[in-house]
Amino acid sequence: MTRRTSGNDYLVDVTAVEYRDRERPLEVVYQLRSLARNTQLRVKILLPKNEPLEVDSVVDLWNGANWLEREVYDMFGVRFRGHPDLRAS
């Protein structure tokens, strides 16, 4: 699914959720909005704790994800493959 085919033309937020329960994975959460249809979509990606914390970047779909993905990287250590500038040290 792409931004064009899904109709979700606005990226509201990218964040992550870390549960205190050791069995539950870390989640990366995307909040999307269709301005034309006035609908919202929440997409969650589960990241197991025993694997690298990595997902593909969505900067090529929503330029506004640039700063949001860097924030998730800084706060939770999730790497976004293909991100133009995570400012990793």
Side-chain angles (χ1 to χ4, degrees):
M1 177 175 9
T2 66
R3 175 175 133 179
R4 185 174 298 229
T5 61
S6 72
N8 295 297
D9 51 352
Y10 182 67
L11 175 67
V12 177
D13 197 13
V14 179
T15 190
V17 178
E18 185 174 13
Y19 295 97
R20 292 183 181 196
D21 182 352
R22 293 178 191 245
E23 299 301 316
R24 291 192 74 181
L26 186 77
E27 292 178 343
V28 175
V29 182
Y30 297 87
Q31 285 288 124
L32 306 171
R33 183 164 185 81
S34 169
L35 299 174
R37 293 189 316 240
N38 194 27
T39 58
Q40 296 186 53
L41 175 67
R42 180 180 298 141
V43 178
K44 296 181 177 183
I45 300 174
L46 302 176
L47 302 175
K49 290 187 177 186
N50 59 348
E51 295 181 16
L53 299 176
E54 288 187 330
V55 296
D56 291 331
S57 175
V58 296
V59 171
D60 59 334
L61 298 175
W62 294 281
N63 192 41
N66 191 329
W67 184 81
L68 298 169
E69 289 180 351
R70 284 199 337 227
E71 282 290 298
V72 172
Y73 171 71
D74 287 344
M75 298 290 288
F76 296 93
V78 176
R79 291 195 163 274
F80 291 87
R81 288 183 297 268
H83 190 280
D85 181 15
L86 281 179
R87 301 198 182 196
S89 53

